[in-house]
Amino acid sequence: MGEKLVLAYSGGLDTSVLIKYLQERNNAQVITVTVDVGQQEDLMGAAEKAKKLGVFKHYHIDAKDEFVTNYIFPAIKANGLYEGKYPISTALSRPLIAKKMVEIAEKEGATGLVHGCTGRGNDQVRFDITLGSLAPDMKIIAPVRDWGLTREEEIEYAKTKGIPVSTAAKMFSIDASVWGRAIECGLLEDASQEPPAEAYLWTVAAEKAPDKPEYVTIQFEAGVPVAVNGKKMKPLDIIQTVNEIAGKNGVGRIDHIEDRLVGIKSREVYECPAATVILEAHKDLEKMVMTRNEVLFKAQVDAQWVFLAYAGLWVDPLKDDLDAFINKSQENVTGEVRLKLFKGGLQVVGRSSPMSLYDKNLANYNIKTSFNQSYSKGFIELWGLQTRMYNALKQSTTKKRKPTKKA
Ligand code: ARG
């Protein structure tokens, strides 16, 4: 028997075809790995399918808790939205799947790691860099990209190998984790058209949402959610609960033009109900407990962090450095945020914190507060000093330069 190869397996057409290709072309003993990150797909069906296709071994790994605690929570602390919109729900799962592949490959004495990504997207970057960093001595094989497999070839090949191909050609290409669902391809490639109703599974259309608003309260401790509506829950349950509440109110649909790493602009459609609510709440709470300088500086760190996570650099040392800063910054991010969800809309309507820097007594318009207004005059004098100097100079020089009227 040939070498052992570990394949990240989803149960879909691409990776099912890869099992057979690797067995035939490489004479390999294929070990499949399916990692449950909360994608809510038929992973047991995938296990059955892998066994039917004659894999050497199949691993099903439930990594949901690890995914929430070690991947989603850091993204919450970093207010992780790529290009201001996308909660990086797919991007976050890739380094975890890669880590599991490497663990299994080491245990099984495999010589290579295989993924089914194409050469056009971001996922190839995330897998290759993480796998190559964690297992520098193993080879990485990306057959769809490197052997140039086309979908038509795959379907033909699948038929000859008895791999079931769903006759109803799949409308979309889907990737999901508990942090959100990405929907691509098919009709969605026309960026001018509204996505059809069938694209969505976790959220209802705004017009089909209940006619009454629903309120939800998220409680945070040191930057991470710990309770929903006053009920303490374990991390995974929090995300799932908020997914449900937001989804049924039509909150969390995202449709934007996204810049992929390889330069392609793509039209991306997501539904990320829990992420949309929790990120909004977290950012609001930060503004209550952090100083102005912290708020403004951290926004730059957050942008850099989310770019690294999106761009496949999860295991880059800069990301660790930024994590150190971000973790320290979360010490006081404790409190509650109340949000109103109504027909696809989301609004923060209240917040409170034992660490609040908001002081009602300072902020109110009553003349008798502890804020001494008489200091403001001198402050403005110095604050605007250079601005006034510059404008005075500009006025005097333009006056001097005024053209004299010709006689
Ligand atoms: N554009 C998103 C990202 O790069 C979603 C990718 C979805 N992946 C997929 N294989 N369908 O994170």
Side-chain angles (χ1 to χ4, degrees):
M1 260 300 189
E3 59 183 342
K4 285 183 180 168
L5 298 176
V6 170
L7 165 70
Y9 184 62
S10 69
L13 175 70
D14 285 320
T15 49
S16 297
V17 162
L18 289 190
I19 294 177
K20 284 286 157 201
Y21 266 124
L22 294 167
Q23 288 166 341
E24 287 191 351
R25 283 211 197 184
N26 295 46
N27 187 31
Q29 305 182 57
V30 181
I31 298 162
T32 41
V33 188
T34 303
V35 183
D36 185 352
V37 286
Q39 55 269 60
Q40 300 184 34
E41 282 157 13
D42 179 16
L43 300 185
M44 289 306 137
E48 287 303 309
K49 206 164 163 187
K51 280 172 203 152
K52 267 197 205 135
L53 292 171
V55 297
F56 175 72
K57 235 186 211 178
H58 175 77
Y59 281 86
H60 169 91
I61 298 174
D62 180 351
K64 292 196 287 293
D65 290 316
E66 185 178 352
F67 182 53
V68 175
T69 307
N70 296 342
Y71 296 80
I72 293 179
F73 276 11
I76 294 172
K77 294 181 194 174
N79 297 310
L81 287 177
Y82 178 65
E83 294 186 330
K85 285 271 196 175
Y86 165 44
I88 59 171
S89 44
T90 291
L92 287 173
S93 70
R94 295 325 191 217
L96 174 57
I97 297 170
K99 179 172 161 236
K100 297 295 173 194
M101 289 168 75
V102 171
E103 282 169 13
I104 289 165
E106 279 167 356
K107 188 169 136 200
E108 293 285 347
T111 49
L113 303 153
V114 191
H115 63 75
C117 304
T118 72
R120 304 172 62 83
N122 297 316
D123 286 334
Q124 54 170 342
V125 182
R126 298 164 185 153
F127 275 115
D128 282 8
I129 295 176
T130 314
L131 293 171
S133 299
L134 301 182
D137 297 330
M138 284 184 213
K139 65 178 166 199
I140 300 166
I141 313 173
V144 179
R145 176 190 67 200
D146 301 341
W147 305 347
L149 303 180
T150 67
R151 188 122 184 126
E152 290 70 38
E153 279 166 9
E154 286 183 14
I155 292 174
E156 275 315 301
Y157 183 75
K159 280 182 192 153
T160 66
K161 297 294 158 197
I163 300 168
V165 180
S166 56
T167 39
K170 271 193 359 195
M171 281 183 85
F172 309 107
S173 159
I174 308 288
D175 182 78
S177 77
V178 71
W179 204 225
R181 223 176 136 249
I183 312 131
E184 295 178 312
C185 299
L187 293 171
L188 303 177
E189 280 166 10
D190 183 348
S192 69
Q193 295 300 309
E194 183 176 358
E198 310 86 77
Y200 299 106
L201 213 63
W202 295 5
T203 53
V204 302
E207 61 273 18
K208 298 224 168 102
D211 292 323
K212 264 201 199 147
E214 180 164 356
Y215 291 85
V216 61
T217 302
I218 316 270
Q219 194 184 321
F220 291 88
E221 264 171 39
V224 298
V226 292
V228 180
N229 292 332
K231 203 173 152 210
K232 292 246 173 203
M233 292 179 201
K234 68 176 187 111
L236 176 63
D237 294 340
I238 290 181
I239 311 292
Q240 284 169 337
T241 303
V242 181
N243 263 336
E244 242 169 71
I245 297 173
K248 70 170 191 263
N249 285 287
V251 169
R253 292 189 175 185
I254 299 155
D255 179 345
H256 83 143
I257 300 290
E258 185 171 303
D259 288 286
R260 287 190 198 162
L261 265 162
V262 295
I264 298 173
K265 279 196 185 285
S266 64
R267 193 274 184 95
E268 298 282 334
V269 175
Y270 304 100
E271 44 186 354
C272 305
T276 302
V277 172
I278 293 171
L279 291 173
E280 185 74 14
H282 176 267
K283 196 165 188 175
D284 184 89
L285 183 60
E286 277 192 342
K287 286 160 87 175
M288 179 171 243
V289 302
M290 285 184 175
T291 64
R292 170 179 49 200
N293 287 339
E294 285 181 298
V295 170
L296 296 178
F297 183 76
K298 183 166 177 289
Q300 300 173 49
V301 177
D302 289 348
Q304 183 65 48
W305 188 97
V306 76
F307 179 72
L308 295 177
Y310 181 84
L313 298 178
W314 185 263
V315 293
D316 191 272
L318 178 60
K319 201 201 114 278
D320 286 347
D321 300 341
L322 300 183
D323 272 327
F325 168 82
I326 292 171
N327 280 327
K328 175 71 176 65
S329 78
Q330 298 300 292
E331 283 174 354
N332 283 358
V333 186
T334 293
E336 296 195 338
V337 180
R338 191 160 181 257
L339 304 106
K340 183 178 182 175
L341 291 73
F342 184 54
K343 289 202 177 289
L346 172 72
Q347 246 179 320
V348 173
V349 291
R351 74 289 283 157
S352 65
S353 167
M355 314 311 281
S356 177
L357 295 179
Y358 170 78
D359 182 346
K360 205 169 132 207
N361 192 36
L362 273 182
N364 80 21
Y365 277 84
N366 192 327
I367 203 86
K368 285 206 174 69
T369 70
S370 54
F371 186 85
N372 189 337
Q373 293 191 54
S374 69
Y375 295 162
S376 290
K377 193 169 157 51
F379 162 73
I380 296 165
E381 197 63 29
L382 302 184
W383 173 241
L385 179 63
Q386 296 191 355
T387 310
R388 288 196 315 277
M389 283 172 68
Y390 167 82
N391 280 287
L393 184 68
K394 194 170 142 195
Q395 280 186 20
S396 69
T397 52
T398 47
K399 259 181 215 150
K400 267 186 226 150
R401 269 199 233 115
K402 246 189 187 159
T404 43
K405 264 191 185 166
K406 273 186 190 157

